[in-house]
Amino acid sequence: MDERAVVTAFLRNDGEVLLLRRSDAVGSYQGRWGGVAGHVADASGEQRDPETAARAEIAEETGLADAVRLVTSGDPFPVEDADRDTRWVVHPFLFDCDSRAVETNEETTETAWVHPPEILRRETVPRLWTAYDRVRPRVATVRDDRTRGSAWLSVRALEALRDEAALATEGRTDELESADRDGDDWTALASLARGLRDARPSMAVLANRVNRVMLAASDERTPEAVETATRRAIGQAVDADREAAELAARALPDRVATLSRSGTVETAIRMADPEAVLVAESRPGGEGVGVAESLADATAVTLTTDAALAFELDDWDADAVLVGADRVLPDGRVVNKAGTRGAALAATEAGAECLIVASSDKVAATADYDLELRDAAEVYDGDADLAVVNPTFDVTPADAVTAVVTEQGRLNTAEVEAVAAAHREWATWDDAQS
């Protein structure tokens, strides 16, 4: 049997992935749906690195090579086709994609951006779901990621819940991530929902968006209801994050400072197109470095150390500090990446505004918070008898924040509390299970 290494790449945009219908110009599986796919070997037979091959196929089949960022690669797996006497070794990849402007070549007759469970319901190339299954979001995706913002992670949590609900809907219960089934799909999905919430307890947006889904599905208590609710919630989340960024962009002055990584902040800055941006490096993860690099193609960027940010705000003549939030407490305090409190207080001293941009889903139902203490060795790994505190987050007082900008507009403290009350109602689905 002939063995050939191939790649399958999924491009993801706003919770949906790109599928391509194969034309008669391809050598196999004509008329079936697949991801971006091709041989690892190039036209001359030279073997390439699988990621290099995947990026080349994205360029050739979609024209979106400049719009993608690698999220993850999955373990390769074999697919045997006795009719073709071929053993394919599939290398799966998942890329986030900033655009849907697909430019196909002769190998494709039709394209569709779909929620991934549609793979289970279409005529596809062999084991396309297996390829997606090896790169799709799971609880570990949310729990272990320490570089991306909470809005991004909350959408990944919704995707994980959607995909598991779809598996149950299609009778694929043996693949359900949750082991707590008791013969009941709702029990398994409720357990998974709790696991997703608990994966990052500091991130209110994650809990709120999962709770919204489960409350909406709690009357029917079926996997179909959960899948429908998560599809809707993903769209709502994407829209809310984008609308919050648009409103923040309208308020931004010409010289803006920021820290850590927030997709909503980056979007707002790109929309506002300020003349200059000051970015703190955001130790220990260094998320700010990536933000500075991503913005450097559009505006003048200055990267500085966390310790120097307070001075640079004044010396650099910043007009505003714009940051995201992992959690807005009901009393208006803001939990965000460590360093936010200092930046907010320094902004006040420098005569600059401190703007928090976040969807209203980031308002916490309660005043509880978790600073997510990191490994002490990141700060000190010597032998002295020292107490080391290495928090991921800190808490900024409400009076140090000029405004919390959401898709609902600028929220004052009373309005924040009203949103928190609504989010407490969303959480009642879980109370009803007890």
Side-chain angles (χ1 to χ4, degrees):
M1 182 172 282
D2 185 27
E3 182 170 296
R4 300 183 185 181
V6 294
V7 295
T8 293
F10 297 97
L11 308 190
R12 180 176 62 194
N13 177 277
D14 292 349
E16 297 179 329
V17 297
L18 176 66
L19 297 185
L20 310 174
R21 190 192 284 272
R22 297 164 69 86
S23 75
D24 292 340
V26 296
S28 59
Y29 312 116
Q30 296 93 336
R32 298 196 191 184
W33 292 93
V36 177
H39 292 88
V40 170
D42 63 19
S44 68
E46 184 76 19
Q47 291 294 318
R48 299 175 289 185
D49 172 76
E51 182 183 338
T52 300
R55 291 183 180 276
E57 296 299 330
I58 291 168
E60 293 171 10
E61 297 183 15
T62 71
L64 293 171
D66 293 336
V68 300
R69 299 178 306 282
L70 179 65
V71 177
T72 190
S73 59
D75 292 335
F77 62 94
V79 178
E80 293 192 0
D81 188 332
D83 292 338
R84 291 177 171 80
D85 194 31
T86 301
R87 183 178 188 266
W88 310 104
V89 179
V90 182
H91 295 260
F93 292 88
L94 176 64
F95 292 83
D96 273 340
C97 186
D98 293 334
S99 172
R100 294 195 177 201
V102 181
E103 298 179 3
T104 60
N105 61 12
E106 72 281 357
E107 297 179 0
T108 298
T109 61
E110 187 180 355
T111 66
W113 291 93
V114 301
H115 285 275
E118 290 303 309
I119 294 170
L120 297 167
R121 297 153 188 162
R122 295 190 179 218
E123 186 179 12
T124 70
V125 299
R127 297 186 66 185
L128 185 62
W129 177 263
T130 301
Y132 174 70
D133 185 64
R134 299 212 168 190
V135 295
R136 68 185 176 94
R138 301 177 186 272
V139 172
T141 307
V142 178
R143 183 190 63 231
D144 299 338
D145 193 299
R146 288 296 186 271
T147 62
R148 297 177 177 91
S150 58
W152 189 93
L153 289 171
S154 73
V155 176
R156 304 293 81 81
L158 294 177
E159 291 171 358
L161 189 55
R162 173 203 60 198
D163 295 344
E164 297 293 347
L167 287 170
T169 297
E170 296 300 312
R172 303 277 287 272
T173 53
D174 57 313
E175 296 188 41
L176 268 175
E177 185 165 16
S178 171
D180 183 13
R181 291 192 50 78
D182 292 336
D184 177 11
D185 291 333
W186 174 261
T187 298
L189 291 169
S191 178
L192 175 61
R194 296 185 192 101
L196 288 164
R197 290 185 322 192
D198 295 344
R200 299 299 292 275
S202 65
M203 295 180 174
V205 64
L206 197 160
N208 288 333
R209 287 175 171 171
V210 169
N211 283 338
R212 174 192 282 170
V213 166
M214 298 306 288
L215 181 65
S218 60
D219 287 340
E220 297 182 35
R221 296 165 63 93
T222 64
E224 294 89 345
V226 174
E227 183 183 352
T228 298
T230 49
R231 288 186 181 218
R232 182 170 59 248
I234 288 168
Q236 291 170 330
V238 169
D239 289 344
D241 293 337
R242 183 178 293 119
E243 290 165 12
E246 289 173 352
L247 289 176
R250 295 174 197 166
L252 283 187
D254 288 334
R255 300 179 68 79
V256 180
T258 190
L259 58 84
S260 191
R261 165 168 281 166
S262 161
T264 311
V265 167
E266 288 188 57
T267 300
I269 291 175
R270 287 190 177 276
M271 288 178 175
D273 192 24
E275 68 178 32
V277 180
L278 175 68
V279 184
E281 60 181 334
S282 310
R283 287 179 179 266
E287 302 92 340
V289 177
V291 172
E293 291 174 336
S294 72
L295 294 174
D297 63 345
T299 188
V301 175
T302 300
L303 181 65
T304 190
T305 63
D306 297 336
L309 180 62
F311 173 77
E312 291 295 334
L313 286 174
D314 192 20
D315 190 61
W316 189 78
D317 198 23
D319 299 313
V321 171
L322 179 70
V323 294
D326 281 272
R327 194 177 189 90
V328 179
L329 302 180
D331 61 5
R333 289 177 295 158
V334 175
V335 181
N336 196 50
K337 179 68 185 288
T340 301
R341 180 187 180 108
L345 296 174
T348 300
E349 179 66 23
E353 290 187 310
C354 178
L355 301 174
I356 308 296
V357 58
S359 75
S360 61
D361 289 343
K362 289 195 174 184
V363 175
T366 69
D368 299 333
Y369 58 85
D370 180 353
L371 298 183
E372 288 194 14
L373 297 181
R374 299 175 63 108
D375 184 359
E378 291 179 333
V379 177
Y380 180 75
D381 61 357
D383 298 328
D385 185 14
L386 298 176
V388 178
V389 180
N390 185 18
T392 300
F393 304 109
D394 63 21
V395 183
T396 300
D399 58 9
V401 175
T402 307
V404 177
V405 183
T406 76
E407 79 285 2
Q408 299 180 18
R410 291 187 175 213
L411 301 185
N412 60 33
T413 302
E415 291 166 332
V416 168
E417 170 53 39
V419 173
H423 292 171
R424 287 192 287 275
E425 180 65 24
W426 292 357
T428 59
W429 76 268
D430 206 9
D431 299 335
Q433 314 305 305
S434 305

PDB file of all heavy atoms in Angstrom, residues 321-337:
ATOM      1  N   VAL A 321      -4.616  55.572  28.964  1.00  0.00           N
ATOM      2  CA  VAL A 321      -4.233  54.175  29.121  1.00  0.00           C
ATOM      3  C   VAL A 321      -5.469  53.352  28.776  1.00  0.00           C
ATOM      4  O   VAL A 321      -6.548  53.569  29.328  1.00  0.00           O
ATOM      5  CB  VAL A 321      -3.777  53.866  30.557  1.00  0.00           C
ATOM      6  CG1 VAL A 321      -3.602  52.361  30.758  1.00  0.00           C
ATOM      7  CG2 VAL A 321      -2.489  54.598  30.880  1.00  0.00           C
ATOM      8  N   LEU A 322      -5.328  52.430  27.840  1.00  0.00           N
ATOM      9  CA  LEU A 322      -6.430  51.559  27.436  1.00  0.00           C
ATOM     10  C   LEU A 322      -6.047  50.121  27.735  1.00  0.00           C
ATOM     11  O   LEU A 322      -5.052  49.618  27.215  1.00  0.00           O
ATOM     12  CB  LEU A 322      -6.720  51.711  25.940  1.00  0.00           C
ATOM     13  CG  LEU A 322      -7.846  50.817  25.397  1.00  0.00           C
ATOM     14  CD1 LEU A 322      -9.199  51.281  25.916  1.00  0.00           C
ATOM     15  CD2 LEU A 322      -7.845  50.794  23.867  1.00  0.00           C
ATOM     16  N   VAL A 323      -6.831  49.458  28.575  1.00  0.00           N
ATOM     17  CA  VAL A 323      -6.565  48.066  28.920  1.00  0.00           C
ATOM     18  C   VAL A 323      -7.866  47.281  28.888  1.00  0.00           C
ATOM     19  O   VAL A 323      -8.961  47.846  28.925  1.00  0.00           O
ATOM     20  CB  VAL A 323      -5.916  47.925  30.315  1.00  0.00           C
ATOM     21  CG1 VAL A 323      -4.520  48.533  30.334  1.00  0.00           C
ATOM     22  CG2 VAL A 323      -6.787  48.546  31.383  1.00  0.00           C
ATOM     23  N   GLY A 324      -7.735  45.969  28.834  1.00  0.00           N
ATOM     24  CA  GLY A 324      -8.894  45.096  28.930  1.00  0.00           C
ATOM     25  C   GLY A 324      -9.193  44.774  30.380  1.00  0.00           C
ATOM     26  O   GLY A 324      -8.689  45.434  31.305  1.00  0.00           O
ATOM     27  N   ALA A 325      -9.991  43.766  30.590  1.00  0.00           N
ATOM     28  CA  ALA A 325     -10.333  43.340  31.950  1.00  0.00           C
ATOM     29  C   ALA A 325     -10.593  41.847  31.930  1.00  0.00           C
ATOM     30  O   ALA A 325     -11.207  41.328  30.996  1.00  0.00           O
ATOM     31  CB  ALA A 325     -11.565  44.071  32.462  1.00  0.00           C
ATOM     32  N   ASP A 326     -10.110  41.165  32.950  1.00  0.00           N
ATOM     33  CA  ASP A 326     -10.498  39.773  33.120  1.00  0.00           C
ATOM     34  C   ASP A 326     -11.762  39.668  33.952  1.00  0.00           C
ATOM     35  O   ASP A 326     -12.501  38.698  33.836  1.00  0.00           O
ATOM     36  CB  ASP A 326      -9.364  38.986  33.776  1.00  0.00           C
ATOM     37  CG  ASP A 326      -8.288  38.625  32.771  1.00  0.00           C
ATOM     38  OD1 ASP A 326      -8.406  37.569  32.133  1.00  0.00           O
ATOM     39  OD2 ASP A 326      -7.360  39.425  32.595  1.00  0.00           O
ATOM     40  N   ARG A 327     -12.020  40.700  34.740  1.00  0.00           N
ATOM     41  CA  ARG A 327     -13.186  40.662  35.625  1.00  0.00           C
ATOM     42  C   ARG A 327     -13.492  42.081  36.096  1.00  0.00           C
ATOM     43  O   ARG A 327     -12.609  42.769  36.611  1.00  0.00           O
ATOM     44  CB  ARG A 327     -12.852  39.767  36.824  1.00  0.00           C
ATOM     45  CG  ARG A 327     -14.005  39.327  37.688  1.00  0.00           C
ATOM     46  CD  ARG A 327     -13.478  38.378  38.772  1.00  0.00           C
ATOM     47  NE  ARG A 327     -14.548  37.740  39.510  1.00  0.00           N
ATOM     48  CZ  ARG A 327     -15.120  36.586  39.180  1.00  0.00           C
ATOM     49  NH1 ARG A 327     -14.693  35.935  38.106  1.00  0.00           N
ATOM     50  NH2 ARG A 327     -16.096  36.080  39.898  1.00  0.00           N
ATOM     51  N   VAL A 328     -14.704  42.539  35.894  1.00  0.00           N
ATOM     52  CA  VAL A 328     -15.164  43.811  36.464  1.00  0.00           C
ATOM     53  C   VAL A 328     -16.092  43.454  37.622  1.00  0.00           C
ATOM     54  O   VAL A 328     -17.128  42.808  37.420  1.00  0.00           O
ATOM     55  CB  VAL A 328     -15.907  44.671  35.426  1.00  0.00           C
ATOM     56  CG1 VAL A 328     -16.380  45.976  36.061  1.00  0.00           C
ATOM     57  CG2 VAL A 328     -15.005  44.968  34.221  1.00  0.00           C
ATOM     58  N   LEU A 329     -15.714  43.839  38.809  1.00  0.00           N
ATOM     59  CA  LEU A 329     -16.491  43.474  39.992  1.00  0.00           C
ATOM     60  C   LEU A 329     -17.753  44.327  40.089  1.00  0.00           C
ATOM     61  O   LEU A 329     -17.812  45.427  39.522  1.00  0.00           O
ATOM     62  CB  LEU A 329     -15.634  43.625  41.239  1.00  0.00           C
ATOM     63  CG  LEU A 329     -14.343  42.785  41.250  1.00  0.00           C
ATOM     64  CD1 LEU A 329     -13.564  43.010  42.540  1.00  0.00           C
ATOM     65  CD2 LEU A 329     -14.643  41.313  41.053  1.00  0.00           C
ATOM     66  N   PRO A 330     -18.783  43.857  40.795  1.00  0.00           N
ATOM     67  CA  PRO A 330     -20.043  44.596  40.859  1.00  0.00           C
ATOM     68  C   PRO A 330     -19.912  46.023  41.391  1.00  0.00           C
ATOM     69  O   PRO A 330     -20.741  46.881  41.066  1.00  0.00           O
ATOM     70  CB  PRO A 330     -20.901  43.739  41.798  1.00  0.00           C
ATOM     71  CG  PRO A 330     -20.371  42.353  41.628  1.00  0.00           C
ATOM     72  CD  PRO A 330     -18.888  42.521  41.436  1.00  0.00           C
ATOM     73  N   ASP A 331     -18.859  46.298  42.189  1.00  0.00           N
ATOM     74  CA  ASP A 331     -18.672  47.648  42.714  1.00  0.00           C
ATOM     75  C   ASP A 331     -17.793  48.517  41.813  1.00  0.00           C
ATOM     76  O   ASP A 331     -17.421  49.632  42.184  1.00  0.00           O
ATOM     77  CB  ASP A 331     -18.091  47.599  44.127  1.00  0.00           C
ATOM     78  CG  ASP A 331     -16.709  46.927  44.182  1.00  0.00           C
ATOM     79  OD1 ASP A 331     -16.164  46.589  43.107  1.00  0.00           O
ATOM     80  OD2 ASP A 331     -16.191  46.735  45.298  1.00  0.00           O
ATOM     81  N   GLY A 332     -17.439  48.021  40.621  1.00  0.00           N
ATOM     82  CA  GLY A 332     -16.677  48.818  39.666  1.00  0.00           C
ATOM     83  C   GLY A 332     -15.182  48.602  39.698  1.00  0.00           C
ATOM     84  O   GLY A 332     -14.465  49.129  38.838  1.00  0.00           O
ATOM     85  N   ARG A 333     -14.661  47.845  40.659  1.00  0.00           N
ATOM     86  CA  ARG A 333     -13.239  47.519  40.653  1.00  0.00           C
ATOM     87  C   ARG A 333     -12.931  46.593  39.475  1.00  0.00           C
ATOM     88  O   ARG A 333     -13.799  45.856  39.017  1.00  0.00           O
ATOM     89  CB  ARG A 333     -12.822  46.856  41.965  1.00  0.00           C
ATOM     90  CG  ARG A 333     -12.809  47.792  43.174  1.00  0.00           C
ATOM     91  CD  ARG A 333     -12.447  47.026  44.441  1.00  0.00           C
ATOM     92  NE  ARG A 333     -13.477  46.042  44.774  1.00  0.00           N
ATOM     93  CZ  ARG A 333     -13.286  44.976  45.540  1.00  0.00           C
ATOM     94  NH1 ARG A 333     -12.074  44.722  46.038  1.00  0.00           N
ATOM     95  NH2 ARG A 333     -14.285  44.149  45.809  1.00  0.00           N
ATOM     96  N   VAL A 334     -11.689  46.631  39.022  1.00  0.00           N
ATOM     97  CA  VAL A 334     -11.322  45.892  37.821  1.00  0.00           C
ATOM     98  C   VAL A 334     -10.163  44.935  38.120  1.00  0.00           C
ATOM     99  O   VAL A 334      -9.116  45.364  38.631  1.00  0.00           O
ATOM    100  CB  VAL A 334     -10.920  46.853  36.683  1.00  0.00           C
ATOM    101  CG1 VAL A 334     -10.409  46.077  35.474  1.00  0.00           C
ATOM    102  CG2 VAL A 334     -12.104  47.733  36.295  1.00  0.00           C
ATOM    103  N   VAL A 335     -10.364  43.666  37.819  1.00  0.00           N
ATOM    104  CA  VAL A 335      -9.316  42.659  37.942  1.00  0.00           C
ATOM    105  C   VAL A 335      -8.718  42.463  36.545  1.00  0.00           C
ATOM    106  O   VAL A 335      -9.437  42.134  35.597  1.00  0.00           O
ATOM    107  CB  VAL A 335      -9.875  41.327  38.472  1.00  0.00           C
ATOM    108  CG1 VAL A 335      -8.754  40.296  38.604  1.00  0.00           C
ATOM    109  CG2 VAL A 335     -10.582  41.540  39.810  1.00  0.00           C
ATOM    110  N   ASN A 336      -7.418  42.697  36.439  1.00  0.00           N
ATOM    111  CA  ASN A 336      -6.750  42.545  35.139  1.00  0.00           C
ATOM    112  C   ASN A 336      -5.289  42.184  35.383  1.00  0.00           C
ATOM    113  O   ASN A 336      -4.844  42.071  36.527  1.00  0.00           O
ATOM    114  CB  ASN A 336      -6.868  43.841  34.323  1.00  0.00           C
ATOM    115  CG  ASN A 336      -6.544  43.633  32.856  1.00  0.00           C
ATOM    116  OD1 ASN A 336      -7.065  42.719  32.220  1.00  0.00           O
ATOM    117  ND2 ASN A 336      -5.676  44.464  32.308  1.00  0.00           N
ATOM    118  N   LYS A 337      -4.544  41.984  34.314  1.00  0.00           N
ATOM    119  CA  LYS A 337      -3.145  41.573  34.401  1.00  0.00           C
ATOM    120  C   LYS A 337      -2.382  42.450  35.391  1.00  0.00           C
ATOM    121  O   LYS A 337      -2.541  43.685  35.418  1.00  0.00           O
ATOM    122  CB  LYS A 337      -2.490  41.662  33.021  1.00  0.00           C
ATOM    123  CG  LYS A 337      -1.021  41.268  32.986  1.00  0.00           C
ATOM    124  CD  LYS A 337      -0.807  39.792  33.255  1.00  0.00           C
ATOM    125  CE  LYS A 337       0.673  39.429  33.344  1.00  0.00           C
ATOM    126  NZ  LYS A 337       1.339  39.462  32.042  1.00  0.00           N
TER     127      LYS A 337
END
